[in-house]
Amino acid sequence: MAKQTLGRNLETLLQPRAPAGSGVRSLMRETQPEAAPPAKPVIPRWYLFGGDLLLASLAIIILYTSPHPLSWKKELFCGAVLALGGCLALAALFQPDASCAGAGVTPK
């Protein structure tokens, strides 16, 4: 039975290798190809603003149709609905605009 050694087949690793393929050469290039322009946002802004308005109107309807004083559960629900609507509005405001994409980048 042959004895296992650490350097078995080491000579095959030391032989010159075949040239790299085109994928490896493209990764090793110094200059990178130009990046593609950013894609349009997945969700349009007006969907987010519309969701904000619908959630705010839901909270107002709950406030005016419920008997007063409101229970703590309804107050918590209305607060959570308004907070979610505010998050939607902020997401719409901070969403990158397609018309401003690439602003400040000078063409070659």
Side-chain angles (χ1 to χ4, degrees), residues 10-65:
L10 187 60
E11 64 275 355
T12 58
L13 292 174
L14 296 176
Q15 292 176 356
R17 295 186 180 166
S22 63
V24 174
R25 283 194 308 267
S26 69
L27 289 174
M28 295 173 68
R29 277 193 316 223
E30 289 185 23
T31 59
Q32 295 295 329
E34 288 188 29
K40 289 176 62 175
V42 177
I43 302 174
R45 282 185 174 183
W46 68 273
Y47 283 7
L48 298 172
F49 283 127
D52 177 34
L53 290 175
L54 288 174
L55 287 170
S57 62
L58 173 68
I60 290 172
I61 289 171
I62 289 174
L63 285 175
Y64 283 115
T65 59

